[in-house]
Amino acid sequence: MTPAPPLLAVAHGSRDPRHAEAMAALAARVRVLRPGLRVEIGYLDHCGPRVPERLDALAGSGASAVVAVPLLFTPAFHAKQDVPSVLRHRRLTVRQTATLAPSPLLLDALDLRMREAGVRPGDDRYGVVLATAGSTDPEANAVTTIVAREWRRTGWCAVVTAFASVHQGSTVAAAITELRARGIERIAVASCMLAPGILPDRITEQALAAGAELVTEPVADTPEIARLVLDRYDAALPFRSSLSA
């Protein structure tokens, strides 16, 4: 039987050491769920090892094919440009999977973080701000809107989006103001971010300054996201297309 190709999780990277810690925890969860599968992490920036180094190491260990799962929620610039550009390798067939959102498993991870913060998923007393990094790419922001719409259908009285890193669209403070104007007294800000870092910290600061009752933690280190990574991996098997030099 042909062995399963290694899973290369492609992370953005950050100067904040908490980012790499969360990525390592996610990879560990994936390994527990799929014993025997080789799971590695490569970074686009700031952290090491970088993606090309990981690909070289995988090729050197005898791999001929790799499935690369971008640890990104939406198909923004990184997923469309940066990731494909670093996945080309002269000795490997590399399959890049879809990004992580939308998915019911992401909603489950967000619900888990809500429960940890003391709010029952679907509690109709709370309005929810789904806060992400945001993008100048309208397709990427549209995915966030889809996630918010699907999450709203699980029972929350309102779910609106907010973006931490772009000027267009709703800021966290503006989203909270919008919910207050609807007469919603309790606001939960769901950090739709994978790992701690500058932008999640910014979301928390903006949310608390605007009077939100709570802000959830990023979601990488959850069983649901580990299962989501494996779902993306499995969808790429058998290889139907490839990137090659």
Side-chain angles (χ1 to χ4, degrees):
M1 181 180 295
T2 303
L7 187 162
L8 176 63
V10 180
H12 183 278
S14 171
R15 293 184 180 89
D16 189 320
R18 295 174 298 167
H19 177 89
E21 291 170 2
M23 295 299 100
L26 172 57
R29 287 184 179 275
V30 175
R31 294 184 188 107
V32 169
L33 289 174
R34 190 68 57 85
L37 176 64
R38 182 170 180 178
V39 179
E40 303 287 356
I41 301 175
Y43 293 93
L44 294 175
D45 201 2
H46 304 304
C47 304
R50 301 293 176 87
V51 172
E53 296 174 64
R54 280 298 194 203
L55 291 174
D56 285 343
L58 289 167
S61 67
S64 60
V66 175
V67 174
V69 181
L71 299 182
L72 304 165
F73 284 127
T74 63
F77 182 84
H78 290 303
K80 292 178 178 178
Q81 302 294 329
D82 291 342
V83 174
S85 71
V86 297
L87 290 181
R88 299 186 182 278
H89 197 276
R90 62 185 178 85
R91 290 185 290 163
L92 291 171
T93 299
V94 183
R95 168 71 169 172
Q96 178 182 338
T97 75
T99 50
L100 300 179
S103 169
L105 285 167
L106 173 57
L107 300 184
D108 290 343
L110 292 169
D111 279 344
L112 172 65
R113 290 301 194 225
M114 284 289 195
R115 288 194 297 270
E116 292 173 346
V119 181
R120 177 178 56 83
D123 188 334
D124 61 9
R125 298 171 300 170
Y126 275 86
V128 178
V129 176
L130 182 68
T132 72
S135 173
T136 57
D137 186 325
E139 181 185 359
N141 292 337
V143 169
T144 304
T145 301
I146 291 169
V147 173
R149 183 181 67 226
E150 294 302 316
W151 204 19
R152 166 69 179 84
R153 290 174 178 169
T154 66
W156 298 101
C157 67
V159 180
V160 298
T161 58
F163 305 107
S165 66
V166 292
H167 296 296
Q168 61 189 29
S170 178
T171 64
V172 174
I176 291 173
T177 298
E178 176 187 339
L179 291 175
R180 299 283 190 208
R182 298 186 194 180
I184 299 170
E185 296 183 359
R186 300 184 183 184
I187 309 296
V189 175
S191 180
C192 192
M193 303 289 291
L194 274 172
I198 294 172
L199 288 180
D201 287 349
R202 183 183 301 172
I203 288 170
T204 298
E205 292 167 3
Q206 293 176 351
L208 297 179
E213 274 66 35
L214 63 95
V215 186
T216 64
E217 295 293 324
V219 297
D221 189 10
T222 63
E224 293 80 5
I225 298 301
R227 290 200 297 271
L228 177 51
V229 169
L230 282 173
D231 275 0
R232 294 295 187 254
Y233 171 87
D234 289 340
L237 301 175
F239 281 50
R240 289 182 288 273
S241 65
S242 65
L243 288 169
S244 58

